[in-house]
Amino acid sequence: MTSLDASAAALLEALQALPGTPVEAGTPEEAQAAHAARAEFLSGPGEPVETVVDGQIDEVLVRVYRPVDAAPAGIVYAHGGGWVTGTLDTYDTVCRALANRSGVTVVSVGYTLAPEAQHPVAAGQVMKVVQASMTEGNPIALCGDSAGAHLVTLVASVAGTAGIPISGLGLIYPVVSPKLDTPSWETLGSGYGLTRESMRWYWEQYLNPEPRTALPADLLELDLSKLPPTQVLTAGFDPLRDEGLALADAIEKAGVPVERVSFDGQMHGFARSMAQIPEALDAIDGVAKFLRTKLAGA
């Protein structure tokens, strides 16, 4: 049986020793502050890229990363953080690495966080950025991790139904369903960073108690047949593992090509932890290669 990667185990021990309370015991503001305070420790300073520019697209904050000799294509990235805590700053290192390894411009979306904005507001903001990015006529791919992977899946489904061409979709340990009822939630729902209680709290912040949308929050209820070729990355010690695998199966059943990637010894959030976990860059390398290939039309 695969064991937890040594660097992941060391990081988990270090995080558990930090002062603070579980996210579900505090406020969104407290969770945001704790997330920001740990960003440099987890991710490090980030790689240099040719240009990094902050701006807005249709009043949505974005940060645009252009690598040296960028190909005429782009990746729209939605960050994780349970829809509540992630920011352009805390995912800066990920986007720098993704831009350098894909060789294309990466547009990171600073969507409005929950509970200020609830489903499907953030997905709508990502869609605005995608539509604006299409105006230059270059191919576009989507990528996201965790809650961000949830958002880009929603957007890719809507875009596909509307006939908006998306070249590829990269999903890094995606949040899929609010049910939290898979076997991996039973076996890994505590002790590995992300817990069942914290994930339930994130969903409570994100979901509008009086939804006014026909767009389902459970990705398994979407029309997945309109998705572009997709890579789904899962981690062996992530409580989200089985719902990610179920999503990959459902996408394949809908007739869409799926590439499955598993980091069996890793836990949730490892791909952002580049300063602590060597395999983090392997994960970014893999999704960058996949999306670069799809953007090139292969």
Side-chain angles (χ1 to χ4, degrees), residues 153 171 174 176 219-220 224 242-252:
T153 306
L171 305 178
V176 176
L219 300 184
L220 297 177
L224 301 172
D242 288 352
E243 57 190 73
L245 295 174
L247 178 61
D249 289 344
I251 294 171
E252 183 176 60

Side-chain angles (χ1 to χ4, degrees), residues 110-205:
Y111 56 87
T112 306
L113 299 175
E116 178 183 349
Q118 295 179 311
H119 177 73
V121 173
Q125 292 176 335
V126 176
M127 176 61 86
K128 288 181 179 180
V129 174
V130 169
Q131 290 174 315
S133 300
M134 301 292 294
T135 59
E136 297 181 3
N138 297 321
I140 295 292
L142 304 182
C143 187
D145 68 288
S146 193
H150 181 273
L151 294 177
V152 294
T153 306
L154 292 172
V155 170
S157 176
V158 172
T161 300
I164 299 172
I166 305 295
S167 297
L169 179 62
L171 305 178
I172 302 172
Y173 33 72
V175 176
V176 176
S177 171
K179 295 177 182 176
L180 309 184
D181 61 355
T182 63
S184 59
W185 275 114
E186 296 296 329
T187 58
L188 303 169
S190 63
Y192 294 97
L194 180 66
T195 68
R196 181 183 250 170
E197 290 74 19
S198 61
M199 192 69 241
R200 183 177 290 112
W201 182 86
Y202 286 125
W203 274 110
E204 288 171 353
Q205 309 310 306

Side-chain angles (χ1 to χ4, degrees), residues 44-133:
E47 303 170 347
V49 295
E50 185 175 44
T51 61
V52 181
V53 179
D54 286 342
Q56 292 188 27
I57 293 177
D58 200 1
E59 300 184 349
V60 180
L61 296 176
V62 296
R63 183 169 293 173
V64 181
Y65 302 81
R66 183 178 177 85
V68 175
D69 298 325
I75 296 170
V76 174
Y77 191 87
H79 62 72
W83 308 285
V84 177
T85 64
T87 67
L88 295 177
D89 289 337
T90 61
Y91 280 82
D92 182 75
T93 298
V94 169
C95 292
R96 287 172 178 270
L98 183 61
N100 284 337
R101 283 156 178 75
S102 66
V104 305
T105 298
V106 172
V107 182
S108 181
V109 185
Y111 56 87
T112 306
L113 299 175
E116 178 183 349
Q118 295 179 311
H119 177 73
V121 173
Q125 292 176 335
V126 176
M127 176 61 86
K128 288 181 179 180
V129 174
V130 169
Q131 290 174 315
S133 300

